[in-house]
Amino acid sequence: MSLNYEEMSWSDVRDQFRKWREENTRHSEEVVQLWVAVLEDKVHKTGNERHLILEQVIIAALDTARFDIATQCTKQLAVEFPGSLRVMKFKAMRYEALEQYDEADEVLDAIIAKDETNAAPRKRKIAILKARGRRVETIKELNEYLKKFMSDQEAWHELCNLYLAEGEYGKAAFCMEEVLLHNPHSHLIHQRLAEIRYTMGGVENVESARTYYSQALKLNPRNLRALYGMYLSCNFLANSRAVSSKRKELQKLASWALEQVAEQTTKQSTIKNNDKLILSLEAALGNLEIKSN
Amino acid sequence: MCDYKLSERAYSKLIFHAAKYPHQAVNGLLLAEKSSKGSLVEIVDAIPLFHQCLYVTPMAEVALMQIDAYAEREGLVIGGYYAASENFYENQIDKTPATKIADKIQENFKNACFAVVDNKLVTLQHDRPAIQVYGCTSESGSGSTRWSKAKFTLAQSSQTLEGVSLLLKRGAMRDVVDFDNHLDNPENDWTNDFLNQSLNDLQKLY
């Protein structure tokens, strides 16, 4: 998405920032560019949103190593809110961005000492451990954190990713199930959980994967990953020692899934003969089936 | 063990993919010419695969099969795997994500290579290629494949590095498409056909 900086007025930029804040997406480079080009001079016009925008710009500036902008904005906030723990957190994040992890840890410990119920500095400490590459310690600390702040689904998601990186698929599945409890209607979480189960392998796990994939498809019939996953799991189950009646059903499901994939992809794909590529899946996996009629 | 030669197309797609997702791990496949000239394997193209959740297998299986068929059609073969770690300082091969895929590729193509992106070298001004290439030296019968450093050259090295640096400065990496993008929206073309022009032509576009 390329944004035309010359045409955007400050209110357009403000709306765009709001959209990115709500979606919680990472557009650090664009935020910084838009800030410098448009919003910096006009930010006093944004009223109550000003502080949220300043925070957004600080984080984006730290992400893109624009420490001058980050320091300037942090000063503005510090002047308005002296002694605020929220502003202190940004001071710690600046140390973190400069890779001065020990200083950052000190500031964060000070914040935690002042307010034990504040979740944000604890998470930053865990992020520092991750940045230092100490994955095992990170997992341990994150587990401790989750014992106290059990409903933080962002943290469960992060723990899931860490376990996946360590190869602990069972524990990763547990974490993802916690995320699912908070988002029972999210087709993406169902699909992610299915992927983890499929990766674990074995008939039971792939059965479980198939049910999660079906739920994902019920929630969003156009989820391409779920369709592919459905195809893979049905094929696997059909070729394992399944009862013959179930086998026919699974094969039908598998070919339905692959047809859906082919239909959706070829309608929009710009790759030449994409359907042939998809059919290659059939050739690779389908040949394994033992014909029984 | 062979020496490897990377084309500018493969190198640029690889770097663009890593640069497009600076905060995440990425991986992808390398396509090579079928017949190696003596002990030189020519890596002709790169197909970016994923930038999220690299450790789960179903989409990787789907991608590998489709890309295998695609490579067959183009007269190429899957000749390698590349990956970049999430952590800036990790550039050792054992810390790189999803090495199992590389092992699998090596089973199918004896001279497969494993390119690990050295994150520290992916800068706006490339002095030298930002990758380390490893080739396989497994003795037959041993359990796991052993990867060791291999010699590689970049086609037209200085021009390629300059061209890639320039395109990075102009933001060309935002347009590279990986398999994940394709799964999100089938309109996205993971063959990155438009990037198949020479670097000189691409520079005129940006």
Side-chain angles (χ1 to χ4, degrees), chain A residues 26 29 99 130-131 133 169 192 195 198-199 213 224-225 228 232 268-272 277 280-281 284, chain B residues 23 53 55-59 61-62 65-66 69-70 73 86-87 89 174 180 183-184 186-187 189-190:
Chain A
R26 196 165 178 155
E29 225 183 277
E99 295 184 35
K130 188 175 173 196
Y169 290 101
R192 182 58 66 84
E195 287 178 343
Y198 181 91
T199 311
Y213 277 129
L224 209 49
R225 289 188 178 86
Y228 272 124
L232 287 173
Q268 300 174 299
S269 174
T270 48
I271 304 176
K272 288 196 286 286
L277 293 177
S280 70
L281 278 168
Chain B
H23 53 286
C53 217
Y55 300 98
V56 288
T57 53
M59 294 304 112
E61 289 179 17
V62 168
M65 282 188 270
Q66 285 197 23
Y70 171 78
R73 198 174 76 193
E86 196 179 347
N87 195 316
Y89 292 107
R174 279 185 225 131
D180 253 337
L183 289 171
D184 292 330
E187 267 180 36
D189 167 22
W190 46 258

Side-chain angles (χ1 to χ4, degrees), chain B residues 46-59:
Chain B
I47 309 274
L49 281 180
F50 305 113
H51 57 268
Q52 48 179 344
C53 217
L54 273 64
Y55 300 98
V56 288
T57 53
M59 294 304 112

Side-chain angles (χ1 to χ4, degrees), chain A residues 122-177:
Chain A
R122 291 170 199 265
K123 290 207 273 192
R124 289 268 37 110
K125 284 194 74 167
I126 294 172
I128 289 177
L129 278 174
K130 188 175 173 196
R132 282 173 133 159
R134 299 191 201 155
R135 209 183 280 148
V136 181
E137 260 186 75
T138 315
I139 291 180
K140 189 165 140 266
E141 289 298 313
L142 195 42
N143 267 310
E144 286 301 316
Y145 169 83
L146 280 166
K147 283 191 193 144
K148 300 192 184 99
F149 298 88
M150 268 178 254
S151 56
D152 187 345
Q153 46 168 321
E154 205 178 65
W156 283 112
H157 208 133
E158 185 63 40
L159 188 55
C160 178
N161 287 335
L162 287 166
Y163 275 133
L164 283 176
E166 286 290 307
E168 303 252 21
Y169 290 101
K171 295 189 186 162
F174 176 80
C175 296
M176 200 40 92
E177 281 164 8

